Amino acid sequence: MLDSTGVRLEESTDALNALGEIYRNQVLVSGVVPQIAIVCGNCGGGLSFVPAISDFVFMESTDGKLYVNTPDAITGNNIDLIDNRAASYQAEVGNVDFIGTEDEIFAAVRALIGLLPFNNEDGGEVLACTDDLNRACTGISSYKEDAASMLAMIADNGVFFETRKAFAECIVTGFMKLNGQTIGAVANSGKTDVICANGADKASEFINFCDAFNIPVLTLANLKGYSRTECQEKKLPKAAARLATAYADATVPKVTVVTGKAYGSAYVLMGSKAIGADFVYAWPDAEIGMMDAKEAAKILVGDGTAAEIRKTAAEYSALQQNVSSAAQRGYVDTIIDDADTRKYVIGAFEMLYTKRENRPNKKHGTI
């Protein structure tokens, strides 16, 4: 819990050394025990790195202040333009998972602790499931534009704990129970059909946490490509590479459900079979392919007529974009009815409960 006006100036280098020791100890236990930081008051300068090193950050929305530099110290800014210390600002830029009143954040912390293992050698508490394991997710396909609601429908008793909700809205991350076992979930939100650099980083950091603490990962894939702006061009290659690395490096059970469109290399990154998914399911109306059939037809036909483009698009869709084609090639294990999603996902994680992977010996990757 953090609420401090900073180090004592009289202690000078002693205070700086103490800060460094805090950082080092946090890093040493990172991936060994989950670290949760609660910003209740002032948390500025070097102290702001403590929550940044933590796994989850909760911040009181009124009195909490989190910053490296004060608003007036930032070039071209003042507190009337952007208050970078505010909880709402820090949540939007991804530095805070949850904001609220003191009672709300303590309740959320208790809920999160109930979902997490005590350490990296603890298998996590598997509770007796009071929900029907074969419960139909009736109408789940109508929530394709609201992935958090879809995940809640799949989860035991409809409980889904979302992390970093205000950050990178193209991606949803969070925890749920399936047959009493904690599962980490990553999904394309449905609010947009692309993934951005922040979304890729949000997903990769979450997957890395799950892998460190042996929490299986469920992915709901529904996207057509990448965000297209100059800013994204600068950030996306590295961010996408980090997401690919997170999925490929993770040795925990990984199950993916394709709920809508899955186009191009963006789909490959979202827990595809090629990048390490143990099971891939798809809904009957899912589309898996290189790109939208109409766009592909325009390239294939060139200067052809509109009728030729329509004909080629229909042929391309049937041959290359149909989910059955992906299943025939082995990239989808089973085409499932959307209402049966919960049943199939639970079954997959049960089969993978004792999964073990041997990887080449190395100190660490460099991506």
Side-chain angles (χ1 to χ4, degrees):
M1 294 178 63
L2 300 161
D3 183 2
S4 172
T5 55
V7 300
R8 296 182 61 189
L9 294 179
E10 296 87 348
E11 295 181 354
S12 187
T13 53
D14 292 333
L16 294 176
N17 185 74
L19 272 177
E21 291 179 350
I22 292 173
Y23 303 156
R24 182 174 184 273
N25 288 329
Q26 275 192 278
V27 171
L28 290 177
V29 299
S30 178
V32 179
V33 294
Q35 298 183 61
I36 299 173
I38 304 174
V39 180
C40 298
N42 198 65
C43 182
L47 195 62
S48 67
F49 306 149
V50 173
I53 298 173
S54 302
D55 298 308
F56 302 98
V57 183
F58 295 77
M59 188 170 176
E60 205 280 330
S61 55
T62 304
D63 296 327
K65 299 289 186 290
L66 179 61
Y67 57 94
V68 176
N69 297 294
T70 59
D72 293 337
I74 299 172
T75 303
N77 185 56
N78 61 66
I79 196 169
D80 295 324
L81 288 175
I82 297 176
D83 186 0
N84 59 293
R85 307 170 304 170
S88 57
Y89 175 88
Q90 292 296 334
E92 288 173 7
V93 299
N95 293 331
V96 172
D97 290 271
F98 186 93
I99 63 174
T101 65
E102 191 171 285
D103 289 340
E104 288 172 340
I105 61 175
F106 287 154
V109 168
R110 285 192 288 269
L112 178 60
I113 290 174
L115 290 164
L116 300 180
F118 294 121
N119 55 60
N120 63 334
E121 295 183 351
D122 174 29
E125 185 179 15
V126 179
L127 304 174
C129 181
T130 58
D131 199 355
D132 183 1
L133 302 184
N134 296 314
R135 172 172 53 79
C137 301
T138 306
I140 190 173
S141 61
S142 63
Y143 290 94
K144 284 185 180 181
E145 296 182 359
D146 185 0
S149 294
M150 285 201 299
L151 291 166
M153 291 185 72
I154 297 169
D156 291 350
N157 303 308
V159 177
F160 173 64
F161 186 96
E162 187 172 355
T163 60
R164 299 172 88 180
K165 184 176 181 179
F167 176 62
E169 292 187 347
C170 64
I171 288 288
V172 171
T173 58
F175 299 101
M176 63 170 84
K177 290 281 188 180
L178 284 176
N179 193 18
Q181 179 186 16
T182 295
I183 303 293
V186 178
N188 301 111
S189 68
K191 296 177 181 178
T192 175
D193 58 6
V194 297
I195 186 171
C196 67
N198 284 343
D201 281 336
K202 176 180 177 179
S204 61
E205 290 169 12
F206 182 81
I207 294 165
N208 287 337
F209 174 85
C210 290
D211 190 51
F213 291 98
N214 300 307
I215 299 172
V217 175
L218 169 66
T219 303
L220 302 185
N222 179 19
L223 77 168
K224 293 175 67 175
Y226 305 102
S227 182
R228 297 180 292 274
T229 66
E230 181 182 356
C231 178
Q232 291 298 314
E233 281 297 304
K234 297 174 182 177
K235 298 180 179 180
L236 255 171
K238 276 291 187 181
R242 287 190 290 268
L243 179 56
T245 302
Y247 270 114
D249 266 351
T251 59
V252 293
K254 292 169 284 190
V255 177
T256 298
V257 181
V258 182
T259 62
K261 294 178 173 60
Y263 293 162
S265 59
Y267 159 62
V268 176
L269 296 177
M270 284 300 296
S272 67
K273 199 81 167 176
I275 211 162
D278 299 295
F279 285 97
V280 176
Y281 299 117
W283 290 354
D285 61 346
E287 299 177 13
I288 301 175
M290 183 60 69
M291 63 177 67
D292 181 78
K294 292 181 180 178
E295 297 301 320
K298 291 176 182 178
I299 296 172
L300 294 171
V301 174
D303 296 329
T305 65
E308 289 175 324
I309 291 175
R310 286 194 298 270
K311 180 176 181 294
T312 303
E315 293 172 348
Y316 182 89
S317 180
L319 191 64
Q320 298 290 349
Q321 205 171 37
N322 192 298
V323 68
S324 298
S325 298
Q328 290 168 5
R329 291 174 168 84
Y331 307 137
V332 171
D333 291 290
T334 309
I335 300 172
I336 63 173
D337 188 79
D338 54 358
D340 293 332
T341 302
R342 171 177 163 82
K343 175 174 68 176
Y344 273 93
V345 167
I346 287 176
F349 282 124
E350 283 187 349
M351 285 187 280
L352 295 167
Y353 189 76
T354 57
K355 174 190 174 183
R356 297 291 183 273
E357 280 192 32
N358 293 319
R359 295 293 181 91
N361 290 327
K362 60 181 179 180
K363 189 172 182 180
H364 56 73
T366 60
I367 301 171

